[in-house]
Amino acid sequence: MLVLARKKNESIVINDQITIVVVDIRGDKVRLGITAPKEVPVHRREVFEAIHGKVRDSEENPQPAAEDAQP
């Protein structure tokens, strides 16, 4: 893991496509601004895990299709 120190209004650039700017620092919270191409998904970790957790659950426990259901 690369660890960088940044102050308010300073930024980092990833692969010439993604820019992350420190927008505000209040106590123990840091607000970040992220600029990325539309095709690059950007999510908070908990949202990312929820999205991918649901995908894994549905793959492991597929629901029968309506036409496969027995009356």
Side-chain angles (χ1 to χ4, degrees):
M1 174 189 304
L2 172 65
V3 178
L4 301 171
R6 301 279 71 201
K7 295 179 182 178
K8 186 176 177 180
N9 297 320
E10 291 184 335
S11 61
I12 63 171
V13 177
I14 301 171
N15 198 29
D16 294 327
Q17 293 182 327
I18 301 168
T19 302
I20 302 172
V21 180
V22 177
V23 175
D24 194 21
I25 304 170
R26 292 185 189 171
D28 64 344
K29 294 206 177 201
V30 176
R31 294 183 68 204
L32 302 173
I34 302 169
T35 303
K38 288 184 179 187
E39 62 272 7
V40 176
V42 178
H43 301 288
R44 291 175 292 147
R45 162 81 56 195
E46 59 273 20
V47 172
F48 176 85
E49 289 173 352
I51 291 168
H52 291 279
K54 288 181 182 178
V55 169
R56 275 190 227 112
D57 288 345
S58 64
E59 289 173 354
E60 292 171 6
N61 301 311
Q63 298 297 317
E67 60 271 6
D68 294 337
Q70 297 296 321

